[in-house]
Amino acid sequence: MVVANQKGGVGKTTTTVNMAASLALHGARVLVIDLDPQGNASTALGIDHHAEVPSIYDVLVESKPLSEVVQPVPDVEGLFCAPATIDLAGAEIELVSLVARESRLQRAIQAYEQPLDYILIDCPPSLGLLTVNAMVAGNEVLIPIQCEYYALEGLGQLLRNVDLVRGHLNPALHVSTILLTMYDGRTRLASQVADEVRNHFGNEVLRTSIPRSVRISEAPSYGQTVLTYDPGSSGALSYLEAAREMALRGAVVGAQNEQSMAEGI
Ligand code: ATP
Ligand code: MG
């Protein structure tokens, strides 16, 4: 699952780590790949990512096996992280001259042999080669949308990029999930934006939206997800519910695919 939106600060990282932790707490084995040079997902999961730590940069640029950089996340059984260090800032340019530059992450994931139920990839706020690598590697795109004015601006470009990658590099790719984040029910603007997103996208939008919550924004400074930092908070409960909804849909789509495959035989 590729968590992408080239707009900055819309809740990509927060959504990646909290959805991943929710799925792991439900018993799934989940890997978070931090594909943003800022390393925010690594920080939020309490994973060391100073410059010398083996990281996703080594995987993409030096062809190091993914298994050599993946670390278990403290406190959450079944949750793992491939961290990003500041080196990754150079990868966008270094990748340009490498062979198969768009599919290096896909190859690394294919060679990774540990059993996993989900991989969530936290993308940087841009549509460059790092995000393209994520889109080539993934099947589904999860777009977090912040319930603010301008929320839909730029989305057209993101959707066109998904179409381009689907057309040329990864026929399986599709936008499966849209999550409304930082929803403030007290403002009319938030509900207007939410209505607009639901009218525009319909089925892809999860029924659960994520409220604006101080607990969610505090958790990363303790190297934790909100699920372990304050499990009873409204923020934690909404991410648990959103993850449940996403997992159930995935199960239904999976079953439909199996059925149509069975019918095809
Ligand atoms: P970037 O584009 O820089 O990677 P992003 O899209 O990953 O940003 P986040 O880092 O997840 O966005 O969130 C941006 C800021 O908003 C962070 O400070 C985060 O703690 C805060 N934030 C995210 N979701 C919520 C929420 N539901 N309630 C309150 N604060 C939130
Ligand atoms: Mg981020």
Side-chain angles (χ1 to χ4, degrees), residues 8-14 36 38 125 182 210-213 216-217:
V10 298
K12 291 182 287 297
T13 302
T14 307
D36 184 347
Q38 299 179 97
M182 297 182 241
I210 307 301
R212 191 172 274 287
S213 135
I216 290 179
S217 59

Side-chain angles (χ1 to χ4, degrees), residues 14 34 43 48 60 71 73 144 149 161-162 178 183 193 236 249:
T14 307
D34 189 350
T43 304
D48 193 9
L60 290 174
Q71 298 186 41
V73 171
Y149 196 63
N161 273 45
V162 172
I178 290 174
Y183 184 81
V193 173
R249 289 169 161 217

Side-chain angles (χ1 to χ4, degrees), residues 21 27 30 78 90 113 183 212 246:
V30 186
E113 287 181 339
Y183 184 81
R212 191 172 274 287
M246 191 178 81

Side-chain angles (χ1 to χ4, degrees), residues 18-19 21-23 26 177 179 206-211 226-227 231 233-249:
N18 290 304
M19 289 293 244
S22 300
L23 292 165
H26 275 116
T177 312
L179 178 64
L206 292 183
R207 268 182 289 115
T208 314
S209 50
I210 307 301
V226 74
L227 281 305
S233 64
S234 62
L237 296 176
S238 61
Y239 268 114
L240 272 174
E241 186 55 33
R244 213 175 73 92
E245 212 185 309
M246 191 178 81
L248 285 173
R249 289 169 161 217

Side-chain angles (χ1 to χ4, degrees), residues 130-169:
L130 289 171
T131 298
V132 170
N133 261 273
M135 287 184 179
V136 172
N139 285 331
E140 302 184 28
V141 182
L142 188 173
I143 307 179
I145 295 183
Q146 185 181 357
C147 294
E148 292 289 349
Y149 196 63
Y150 299 136
L152 296 175
E153 241 163 71
L155 269 186
Q157 204 188 347
L158 174 61
L159 298 176
R160 275 192 295 281
N161 273 45
V162 172
D163 285 345
L164 277 172
V165 172
R166 182 176 46 239
H168 295 279
L169 298 162

